[in-house]
Amino acid sequence: MRVLGIDPDNKETLNNFALELAACKSKELHDYRLAIELAERGCRLSQWKDRKLLHTLAMAYNNRALDLAGRDEFGEAVRFYRNAIEADPDYEAPLF
């Protein structure tokens, strides 16, 4: 987080940090909400044109949906699956 304090508008840093938080296998380290927040910030800064950021955002939404579905929160999970598809229609994971 310190690097974001130094340059909070660095799209590459936002993407990399969001990706780590969304993809981390360790339950203690992943943070889907923060991953979504950071990826959305990067997407806004890029005017929703950076494919890498859109893909990261879709992955963060999808992983949040998987987490919710695993806790039987299906209605909320569906919302996050839809967000993933909207963020990056080419991201295939929520389609299965």
Side-chain angles (χ1 to χ4, degrees), residues 54-66 77 80-86 88-96:
L54 291 168
H55 185 81
T56 297
L57 180 58
M59 182 179 50
Y61 279 139
N62 184 72
N63 288 353
R64 176 77 171 125
L66 288 169
F80 279 94
Y81 284 128
R82 287 184 179 142
N83 288 345
I85 293 166
E86 288 176 20
D88 185 356
D90 294 330
Y91 186 67
E92 296 176 358
L95 301 175
F96 291 104

Side-chain angles (χ1 to χ4, degrees), residues 27 62-74 77 81:
K27 289 187 180 203
N62 184 72
N63 288 353
R64 176 77 171 125
L66 288 169
D67 182 57
L68 289 164
R71 292 186 279 136
D72 295 334
E73 297 179 39
F74 299 111
Y81 284 128

